Short mmCIF file of all heavy atoms in Angstrom, two decimals:
data_model
loop_
_atom_site.label_atom_id
_atom_site.label_comp_id
_atom_site.label_asym_id
_atom_site.label_seq_id
_atom_site.Cartn_x
_atom_site.Cartn_y
_atom_site.Cartn_z
N VAL C 102 -11.41 -4.74 13.68
CA VAL C 102 -12.76 -4.22 13.39
C VAL C 102 -13.27 -4.82 12.09
O VAL C 102 -14.42 -5.26 11.99
CB VAL C 102 -12.76 -2.67 13.32
CG1 VAL C 102 -14.08 -2.15 12.78
CG2 VAL C 102 -12.47 -2.07 14.69
N GLN C 103 -12.39 -4.87 11.07
CA GLN C 103 -12.81 -5.45 9.79
C GLN C 103 -13.26 -6.90 9.97
O GLN C 103 -14.28 -7.32 9.42
CB GLN C 103 -11.66 -5.37 8.77
CG GLN C 103 -12.05 -5.84 7.37
CD GLN C 103 -12.99 -4.85 6.66
OE1 GLN C 103 -12.62 -3.70 6.43
NE2 GLN C 103 -14.21 -5.29 6.33
N ILE C 106 -16.64 -6.93 11.64
CA ILE C 106 -17.69 -6.51 10.70
C ILE C 106 -17.97 -7.64 9.70
O ILE C 106 -19.13 -7.96 9.42
CB ILE C 106 -17.30 -5.20 9.98
CG1 ILE C 106 -17.24 -4.02 10.99
CG2 ILE C 106 -18.26 -4.91 8.82
CD1 ILE C 106 -18.56 -3.67 11.65
N ASP C 128 -26.79 -0.85 16.89
CA ASP C 128 -25.49 -1.07 17.54
C ASP C 128 -24.35 -0.62 16.63
O ASP C 128 -23.39 0.02 17.08
CB ASP C 128 -25.30 -2.56 17.87
CG ASP C 128 -26.24 -3.05 18.98
OD1 ASP C 128 -26.82 -2.21 19.69
OD2 ASP C 128 -26.37 -4.28 19.11
N LEU C 129 -24.46 -0.96 15.33
CA LEU C 129 -23.41 -0.58 14.38
C LEU C 129 -23.35 0.94 14.21
O LEU C 129 -22.26 1.51 14.09
CB LEU C 129 -23.65 -1.27 13.03
CG LEU C 129 -23.38 -2.78 13.02
CD1 LEU C 129 -24.03 -3.43 11.79
CD2 LEU C 129 -21.88 -3.06 13.05
N ILE C 130 -24.51 1.58 14.21
CA ILE C 130 -24.53 3.04 14.08
C ILE C 130 -23.87 3.69 15.31
O ILE C 130 -23.12 4.66 15.19
CB ILE C 130 -25.98 3.54 13.84
CG1 ILE C 130 -26.43 3.14 12.43
CG2 ILE C 130 -26.09 5.05 14.03
CD1 ILE C 130 -27.89 3.40 12.12
N GLN C 131 -24.13 3.11 16.49
CA GLN C 131 -23.45 3.62 17.70
C GLN C 131 -21.94 3.43 17.61
O GLN C 131 -21.17 4.31 18.02
CB GLN C 131 -23.95 2.87 18.93
CG GLN C 131 -25.28 3.34 19.46
CD GLN C 131 -25.65 2.54 20.71
OE1 GLN C 131 -24.85 2.36 21.62
NE2 GLN C 131 -26.86 2.04 20.73
N GLN C 132 -21.52 2.27 17.10
CA GLN C 132 -20.07 2.03 16.93
C GLN C 132 -19.48 3.08 15.99
O GLN C 132 -18.39 3.62 16.24
CB GLN C 132 -19.80 0.64 16.35
CG GLN C 132 -20.04 -0.51 17.31
CD GLN C 132 -19.81 -1.86 16.64
OE1 GLN C 132 -18.97 -2.00 15.75
NE2 GLN C 132 -20.55 -2.87 17.05
N ASN C 133 -20.20 3.37 14.91
CA ASN C 133 -19.73 4.37 13.95
C ASN C 133 -19.60 5.75 14.60
O ASN C 133 -18.60 6.44 14.42
CB ASN C 133 -20.69 4.44 12.76
CG ASN C 133 -20.40 5.62 11.86
OD1 ASN C 133 -19.33 5.74 11.29
ND2 ASN C 133 -21.36 6.56 11.77
N THR C 134 -20.62 6.13 15.35
CA THR C 134 -20.60 7.45 15.98
C THR C 134 -19.41 7.57 16.94
O THR C 134 -18.68 8.56 16.92
CB THR C 134 -21.93 7.69 16.74
OG1 THR C 134 -23.01 7.53 15.81
CG2 THR C 134 -21.99 9.07 17.34
N ALA C 136 -16.63 5.67 16.99
CA ALA C 136 -15.34 5.56 16.28
C ALA C 136 -15.01 6.87 15.59
O ALA C 136 -13.84 7.29 15.55
CB ALA C 136 -15.39 4.42 15.27
N THR C 137 -16.02 7.53 15.05
CA THR C 137 -15.79 8.82 14.39
C THR C 137 -15.31 9.86 15.41
O THR C 137 -14.37 10.62 15.15
CB THR C 137 -17.07 9.31 13.68
OG1 THR C 137 -17.53 8.30 12.80
CG2 THR C 137 -16.82 10.57 12.88
N ALA C 160 -10.04 6.38 8.98
CA ALA C 160 -11.12 6.11 8.03
C ALA C 160 -11.23 4.62 7.73
O ALA C 160 -12.31 4.13 7.39
CB ALA C 160 -10.92 6.90 6.74
N GLY C 161 -10.13 3.89 7.87
CA GLY C 161 -10.17 2.43 7.66
C GLY C 161 -11.18 1.79 8.59
O GLY C 161 -11.91 0.86 8.21
N ILE C 162 -11.24 2.29 9.82
CA ILE C 162 -12.15 1.74 10.83
C ILE C 162 -13.59 2.12 10.51
O ILE C 162 -14.48 1.27 10.48
CB ILE C 162 -11.73 2.21 12.23
CG1 ILE C 162 -10.39 1.58 12.60
CG2 ILE C 162 -12.82 1.88 13.27
CD1 ILE C 162 -9.82 2.00 13.93
N THR C 163 -13.83 3.39 10.24
CA THR C 163 -15.22 3.80 9.98
C THR C 163 -15.73 3.25 8.64
O THR C 163 -16.91 2.93 8.52
CB THR C 163 -15.38 5.34 10.06
OG1 THR C 163 -14.34 5.96 9.32
CG2 THR C 163 -15.31 5.82 11.49
N ASN C 164 -14.83 3.08 7.67
CA ASN C 164 -15.25 2.47 6.40
C ASN C 164 -15.70 1.02 6.62
O ASN C 164 -16.68 0.57 6.02
CB ASN C 164 -14.12 2.48 5.36
CG ASN C 164 -13.85 3.87 4.82
OD1 ASN C 164 -14.67 4.78 4.99
ND2 ASN C 164 -12.70 4.06 4.19
N ALA C 165 -14.97 0.31 7.50
CA ALA C 165 -15.35 -1.07 7.78
C ALA C 165 -16.73 -1.10 8.45
O ALA C 165 -17.60 -1.89 8.06
CB ALA C 165 -14.30 -1.73 8.69
N ILE C 166 -16.92 -0.23 9.45
CA ILE C 166 -18.22 -0.21 10.14
C ILE C 166 -19.34 0.14 9.16
O ILE C 166 -20.43 -0.43 9.21
CB ILE C 166 -18.18 0.78 11.33
CG1 ILE C 166 -17.13 0.33 12.36
CG2 ILE C 166 -19.56 0.89 11.99
CD1 ILE C 166 -16.84 1.35 13.45
N GLN C 167 -19.01 1.04 8.24
CA GLN C 167 -19.99 1.44 7.22
C GLN C 167 -20.48 0.23 6.42
O GLN C 167 -21.66 0.12 6.08
CB GLN C 167 -19.35 2.49 6.30
CG GLN C 167 -20.26 2.98 5.17
CD GLN C 167 -21.50 3.69 5.69
OE1 GLN C 167 -21.40 4.60 6.51
NE2 GLN C 167 -22.67 3.27 5.22
N GLU C 168 -19.57 -0.71 6.14
CA GLU C 168 -19.97 -1.93 5.41
C GLU C 168 -21.02 -2.70 6.19
O GLU C 168 -21.97 -3.24 5.61
CB GLU C 168 -18.76 -2.85 5.19
CG GLU C 168 -17.72 -2.32 4.22
CD GLU C 168 -16.45 -3.20 4.22
OE1 GLU C 168 -16.54 -4.40 4.58
OE2 GLU C 168 -15.38 -2.68 3.87
N GLY C 169 -20.84 -2.74 7.51
CA GLY C 169 -21.82 -3.43 8.36
C GLY C 169 -23.15 -2.70 8.35
O GLY C 169 -24.22 -3.33 8.29
N ILE C 170 -23.08 -1.37 8.42
CA ILE C 170 -24.31 -0.56 8.41
C ILE C 170 -25.07 -0.78 7.10
O ILE C 170 -26.29 -0.98 7.10
CB ILE C 170 -23.98 0.93 8.64
CG1 ILE C 170 -23.48 1.14 10.07
CG2 ILE C 170 -25.18 1.82 8.34
CD1 ILE C 170 -22.97 2.54 10.37
N THR C 171 -24.33 -0.79 6.00
CA THR C 171 -24.95 -1.01 4.69
C THR C 171 -25.63 -2.38 4.66
O THR C 171 -26.78 -2.50 4.23
CB THR C 171 -23.89 -0.89 3.58
OG1 THR C 171 -23.31 0.41 3.65
CG2 THR C 171 -24.51 -1.08 2.20
#
Side-chain angles (χ1 to χ4, degrees):
V102 170
Q103 185 71 61
I106 294 296
D128 291 344
L129 288 163
I130 289 172
Q131 281 181 47
Q132 288 178 32
N133 169 61
T134 303
T137 305
I162 292 178
T163 46
N164 288 345
I166 298 170
Q167 179 63 51
E168 291 171 24
I170 291 174
T171 301

